[in-house]
Amino acid sequence: MALPTLWIVIPCYNEEKVLPITAPKFLAKLNDFIRDKKIKENSRVLFVDDGSKDRTWELIQQFAQKDAHYLGIQQSRNRGHQNAVLAGLMTAKDHCDITISIDSDGQDDINAMDAMIAAYTDGCEIVYGVRSDRQTDSWFKRVTAQGFYKFLRLMGVDVVYNHADYRLASSKVLQHLADFKEVNLFLRGMFPLVGFKSTSVYYERHERLAGKSHYPLSNMVSLAINGVTSLSIKPIVFIAELGAVVSILGFIGTIWAAVMAFKGATVAGWASIVCIVSFLGGIQLLSLGVIGEYVGKTYMETKHRPRFIISDQTWEETQEKEQEKEKHSQ
């Protein structure tokens, strides 16, 4: 099997504090692979600046000037982590044989890349990086994260438990992923839909090396809702089932009320009426909210807006062509 060309795709948002620490680690890992003849010399580290407001893009440009193995692209504005990852993957897919997407904060163990490349050599087109435990998380973070994956599975979304966006994907997989045109992205649920032979690599996650996390609880909740509404209609089915149950109970209650009225055993009271009206009103509003979420998603999808816009990159087209020639000549 010929040596593959690897592009490591790294989304970045306001990471000026951590990049000087992690960027050399990514480059060192890439050079180790090249030295050990696991990948080709024209492999690259691709940073994706997601519209950062700090010096992130400036640092990426400096890296690219110092070493040709560093590349960078900049989005026209902040579009979110999932869009940044997709932008990097879609940029890389035509220039390499395999990609490995990984966050820039140094929490994911880069040594797991060895097992990922070995699995690719054995015939796997997708290799998921999966956390072996969550000992480094706080109790609240651990509970909410585990609940996140369980909730997704309960709602019918096919995801790999404890897998985020640390994965190897071949160019073959990415070419087919490009056919998925949805604007509302949930990549960890989309890759299983692409198919192909896959496996998982387990690793221990570390503490963030520097800076602050850009993924608070509110973002996780938003990601969960987006994942469910983008990949499953189970909530709507649940609403239909709940509506049927409430309707049956209401029908039984109507018969009971009629019988009691016929017997003359009715007792005036507002508490029961208030409870019933409040319950039904809450169910209706919740149902309208869920349905509205789907309507909104459909509305956004019909616009076919671009999922990412690249405003700048660190390499010229002539350099890109030379890299292509180098790739085909090896």
Side-chain angles (χ1 to χ4, degrees):
M1 184 177 181
L3 294 181
T5 298
L6 165 67
W7 279 34
I8 302 175
V9 176
I10 307 169
C12 307
Y13 179 66
N14 292 344
E15 299 290 5
E16 66 175 1
K17 292 184 178 180
V18 77
L19 277 183
I21 302 173
T22 57
K25 295 179 181 292
F26 292 127
L27 181 61
K29 194 63 181 178
L30 192 78
N31 287 329
D32 287 344
F33 286 143
I34 295 173
R35 186 192 64 242
D36 296 339
K37 299 190 181 302
K38 293 182 178 181
I39 58 176
K40 290 182 179 179
E41 171 66 30
N42 62 339
S43 298
R44 298 289 184 263
V45 175
L46 175 65
F47 294 103
V48 183
D49 178 31
D50 188 25
S52 298
K53 295 181 175 65
D54 60 5
R55 296 179 57 252
T56 295
W57 179 240
E58 181 182 336
L59 290 174
I60 293 172
Q61 291 177 309
Q62 293 175 4
F63 296 150
Q65 291 174 357
K66 292 179 180 179
D67 195 301
H69 288 102
Y70 285 125
L71 297 176
I73 58 176
Q74 183 184 42
Q75 295 212 86
S76 60
R77 67 175 182 83
N78 176 251
R79 292 177 180 269
H81 179 268
Q82 297 292 280
N83 296 72
V85 175
L86 183 70
L89 295 178
M90 293 298 102
T91 300
K93 68 180 175 62
D94 296 323
H95 305 287
C96 62
D97 301 301
I98 53 176
T99 63
I100 295 179
S101 57
I102 184 173
D103 288 340
S104 61
D105 55 19
Q107 289 187 279
D108 295 320
D109 185 6
I110 62 173
N111 293 320
M113 293 183 185
D114 297 74
M116 289 182 175
I117 294 178
Y120 169 76
T121 304
D122 290 338
C124 291
E125 301 289 345
I126 305 176
V127 185
Y128 300 103
V130 179
R131 295 184 61 171
S132 57
D133 59 61
R134 289 186 170 272
Q135 297 302 318
T136 57
D137 290 345
S138 64
W139 176 87
F140 182 76
K141 173 68 174 178
R142 182 164 58 252
V143 171
T144 53
Q146 291 174 344
F148 168 79
Y149 288 101
K150 292 178 181 178
F151 174 71
L152 289 175
R153 286 188 173 181
L154 179 65
M155 291 293 103
V157 180
D158 184 15
V159 292
V160 177
Y161 188 73
N162 270 341
H163 162 71
D165 287 293
Y166 185 20
R167 75 178 70 83
L168 177 147
S170 70
S171 59
K172 181 191 298 184
V173 170
L174 297 180
Q175 294 294 342
H176 289 283
L177 181 67
D179 294 331
F180 287 64
K181 302 299 184 182
E182 54 254 52
V183 175
N184 301 285
L185 297 174
F186 186 67
L187 294 176
R188 65 190 75 176
M190 292 169 64
F191 273 94
L193 294 178
V194 178
F196 292 99
K197 183 178 179 181
S198 64
T199 189
S200 296
V201 169
Y202 295 88
Y203 67 95
E204 291 186 7
R205 204 160 193 248
H206 310 302
E207 296 283 352
R208 185 182 178 89
L209 295 180
K212 296 181 180 180
S213 173
H214 304 296
Y215 230 79
L217 177 62
S218 59
N219 286 22
M220 182 177 292
V221 173
S222 176
L223 184 65
I225 294 174
N226 191 45
V228 171
T229 54
S230 298
L231 298 170
S232 173
I233 61 170
K234 198 165 184 178
I236 293 182
V237 175
F238 175 74
I239 287 175
E241 294 172 347
L242 179 62
V245 172
V246 173
S247 297
I248 293 173
L249 292 177
F251 180 70
I252 295 174
T254 301
I255 295 176
W256 175 81
V259 172
M260 292 296 101
F262 180 76
K263 290 182 177 181
T266 56
V267 178
W270 61 269
S272 57
I273 296 177
V274 170
C275 291
I276 293 173
V277 171
S278 299
F279 173 74
L280 292 178
I283 292 296
Q284 289 174 339
L285 291 175
L286 176 62
S287 301
L288 286 174
V290 173
I291 295 172
E293 185 74 20
Y294 278 94
V295 172
K297 287 289 193 300
T298 304
Y299 173 69
M300 295 303 297
E301 294 291 345
T302 57
K303 289 179 175 294
H304 300 294
R305 289 175 176 170
R307 295 173 293 183
F308 56 87
I309 297 176
I310 305 302
S311 60
D312 199 4
Q313 62 185 42
T314 59
W315 71 95
E316 302 293 337
E317 293 300 323
T318 54
Q319 179 183 351
E320 182 181 0
K321 292 179 180 178
E322 291 177 359
Q323 291 173 356
E324 284 296 298
K325 291 180 181 178
E326 180 184 357
K327 174 183 175 182
H328 293 300
S329 63
Q330 292 180 350

